[in-house]
Amino acid sequence: QVQLVESGGGLVRPGGSLRLSCAASGSFFRRNVMGWYRQAPGKEREFLAGMPTGSDAGTNYADSVKGRFMLSRDYAKNTVELQMNSLKPEDTAVYYCYLHDLVTLIQIWGQGTQVTVSL
């Protein structure tokens, strides 16, 4: 059973920064994508960033966070981190880590971590 454990959410002022971390454990194929989504109250879950495994892997970002958020992965530790800079009130949401197994096509979600950007 694959588990994703997130950490790093909290309250931050506009313009501030936060770093979210996610660690994957359990059994899954090495060909996968890890990244983050978020869901604000009353809105659909929104893709933010994803990084596949592989020597030619590239990172995809949503336009809403491009240039402000940066995704990094430690393939040996099965962790992914999201560095969030220049945060805005509209970034307030529950942030979910995900792992998409490219062999089984199963997508696993973390439990979510709250990020609140407010004065």
Side-chain angles (χ1 to χ4, degrees):
Q1 180 129 1
V2 181
Q3 276 195 315
L4 301 177
V5 178
E6 300 140 335
S7 61
L11 173 65
V12 65
R13 293 179 181 273
S17 298
L18 275 178
R19 191 174 184 87
L20 305 181
S21 297
C22 174
S25 62
S27 179
F28 50 89
F29 286 96
R30 290 190 177 275
R31 288 185 58 232
N32 60 70
V33 181
M34 285 189 75
W36 295 85
Y37 277 69
R38 70 185 178 191
Q39 189 165 19
K43 294 189 176 181
E44 292 187 355
R45 194 168 292 192
E46 172 192 16
F47 169 80
L48 296 179
M51 184 184 291
T53 52
S55 59
D56 57 349
T59 305
N60 293 317
Y61 292 97
D63 288 343
S64 58
V65 303
K66 201 172 291 184
R68 298 190 299 126
F69 291 9
M70 181 174 293
L71 189 67
S72 59
R73 282 189 73 167
D74 185 324
Y75 295 101
K77 296 181 180 178
N78 291 320
T79 59
V80 64
E81 294 190 331
L82 186 68
Q83 177 66 40
M84 305 186 294
N85 301 320
S86 303
L87 284 162
K88 307 174 183 179
E90 51 264 44
D91 293 318
T92 296
V94 177
Y95 283 67
Y96 295 92
C97 175
Y98 77 94
L99 185 149
H100 182 78
D101 191 312
L102 292 172
V103 176
T104 65
L105 302 184
I106 292 174
Q107 185 139 326
I108 306 297
W109 297 96
Q111 79 281 5
T113 184
Q114 177 70 45
V115 171
T116 302
V117 184
S118 176
L119 294 171

